[in-house]
Amino acid sequence: MTEQSGTGCPVHGRGGGCPVSPRAASFDPFAESFLADPAAALEWSRNEEPVFFSPELGYWVVTRYEDVKAVFRDNVTFSPSIALERVVPPSEEAMATLKRYDYAMNRTLVNEDEPAHMERRRALMAHFLPENLAAKEDMIRRLTREKVDAFVDSGRVDLVEAMLWEIPLTVALHFLGVPKEDMDALKEFSVAHTVNTWGRPSPEQQLKVADAVGRFWQYAGRVLDKMRAEPDGEGWMHFAIRKNAEMPEVVTDSYLHSMMMAIIVAGHETTSLASANAVKLLLSNPLVWERICKDPALIPNAVEECLRLEGSQMAWRRKATRDTEIAGVVIPKDAKLLIVSASANHDPRHFENGDLFDIYRDSAVEHLTFGYGSHQCMGKNFARLEMRIFIEELSRRLPHMRLVEGQTFTYLPNLAFRGPQRLLVEWDPAQNPERSDPALAGRTVSFPVGAPSSKEIARSMRVAEIGDAARGVKLIRLEDPDGLPLPAWTPGAHIDLLVGDFSRKYSLCGSPSDPGYTIAVLREQDGRGGSRFIHETLKPGTMVRIRGPKNYFRLEEQAPRHILIAGGIGITPILAMADRLKALGRDYVLHYCGRARETMAFLDRVARDHGAHTVLHVSSEGGRADLETIVKGWSPDTRIHACGPERLLDQLGLLCGDLPEGSYKCEAFTTGLDGMVHADDTAFEVDLADSELTLTVPAGRTLLETVRAAGIDVPSDCEEGLCGSCEVGVLDGAIDHRDKVLSAAERAEGKRMMACCSRAAGKKLRLAL
Ligand code: FES
């Protein structure tokens, strides 16, 4: 209990009309029920009170995605200085114990303010870049195989004890260049450091913990001295020691000692816990586990989805350096914040179907488990590499492994890290596939270092039914072959259908409550061949791969009046929108334009379900649409949505050009761009304000490729300027926009750009990245 206990808000007081709500007052992040499922425990907050004061903790708690990210992003207003502060102030006896060991933990990379932080980070980050991590793969794999060899015939094991704790620690020590003696002591030290910093130890525990932390501090000092005596030693700490000699004012002595202690913990504990969370989550979903066993290419994104849904880093702490606001809530200077990424990662405002475990989710990489901005975890790609190898080795050698039923999962009570302390699994060794195929144990599937590309994420689906929606239009229903639940979709959403060498976007046009996805495919005789291929080769039972669903053409359903305009096969998203508007009881009119009735898909259904709201414009019957008159039907409470051929959309774009922002939305399926870089492109510089880096984007390379090579994760999907998923904020500089996402007004505003295709119009851009 802190001195701020009670039920009043520390800013406004009880008389200020701002009492702490009952749920905020009972918030307890150390409770077993919270640790079992922090996202579920904070669902009420995400829905009702996304920023609240916890009197029990003395912290403001932030739970929604955009708010947590905004706090991470602004590390000046929200200082990380308290990231390693003890949640429970130590007792006098504990302080005396620490003093006996000369304990003097100072700032490290995670709790430093600017400008010192970025100066050090820049000086020390080279070892963490993707190109320098790939060389670690062989070592991680060797260690993993040794461990799996040791238990593969046993039939039952605690994976945490047998491998998931020790391998990350061994790898971390190797990376740091720290000798591997004292592994058991390091386990005790790590737990003590976690409890000391982020836990709520009782007075008796405090003394024990303080003693272990003191010994850890001295151990770190001894190792550091030993390493200083080997000036040519390998590993990141040796590198840091050399930097200390080169730039003593940037990489200081006290920094090295503190960092040595902190990074031994940070370097392995988060990976260890995240791996245990991931294996637990995968085995709790046997159909998903089975699929990964069959198709290891799914592992990188499955790891990302595990990090999103059950990451090992639950929350970080920040301190307000001035009076400010988060989501409209006044935060006073010096207020302490608990920003809960474990809650943000489930926020449905950012992640559609946020609680669904979907290893095909292409936005999984946007999770905040690694933090964001200039304090984002430097070891994130190391963690990814290890987790992928663990899961690949286990799924290949023990695909029949399952969780031991009835076990209770326990978690160390603390504010920061979360992962099961034991993870009991079992299997029948007689069924081990390597008994009949000994070569299997040595097979290897490697993955590129870094965040998975959405291009590699595809869901296998079976064609369930094929029918005719009109002349030349096939109606295709797809279903998951194993009955895995599919993500829900909303009107305007599409999937990418991958067949043969083709990837084509098709809007979903069935009912969102159907268990499968339905698309309508027009055979385009003069197209690039994709639709012909689909018409000629797909049969019921054929397996295809899809990406999505994604929605870049959202229906503004809150508006009271709507004009829907469909040209030809553009009826597919428009029909789903009309269904939704009808269900909501909105005022809408559907203009459906086509060349001839027999080529217009869903005519019967349109007549049946939307007859009174529909105006047909059939050219062969002299009914060509008068778009100018249609657009004149707009009023300030109306939204216009259109989908159809480029000519129709171009004309509508001109006619709607003067309407207020947001009045008109359309969906284009091609940019007309030939490649994302052009022969006459020139190099330009980008200042990344959040990451405090300056990069050069050379001619022949996109901005997206350049920032990713620097270890900055930017999501992407289409990579051709159509979807908007690679949008980055622009703080300064002129932009050469090449996308089909932004409106004329948004372009003129110059505040955002698509990193996959757009470039600087001048020599430099400053970006909010
Ligand atoms: Fe789709 Fe850039 S990735 S617009």
Side-chain angles (χ1 to χ4, degrees), residues 53-82:
F53 182 74
S54 161
E56 178 68 22
L57 209 55
Y59 279 67
W60 292 84
V61 184
V62 184
T63 60
R64 279 190 187 165
Y65 183 92
E66 294 307 333
D67 299 332
V68 171
K69 188 170 175 180
V71 173
F72 273 129
R73 171 179 273 143
D74 186 353
N75 61 354
V76 175
T77 306
F78 303 107
S79 159
S81 58
I82 59 165

Side-chain angles (χ1 to χ4, degrees), residues 534-555:
I534 291 167
H535 272 241
E536 287 165 13
T537 58
L538 293 200
K539 305 274 176 298
T542 307
M543 293 300 294
V544 294
R545 284 156 72 83
I546 68 165
R547 285 200 285 262
K550 290 161 249 175
N551 198 340
Y552 306 132
F553 184 41
R554 281 184 187 281
L555 175 65

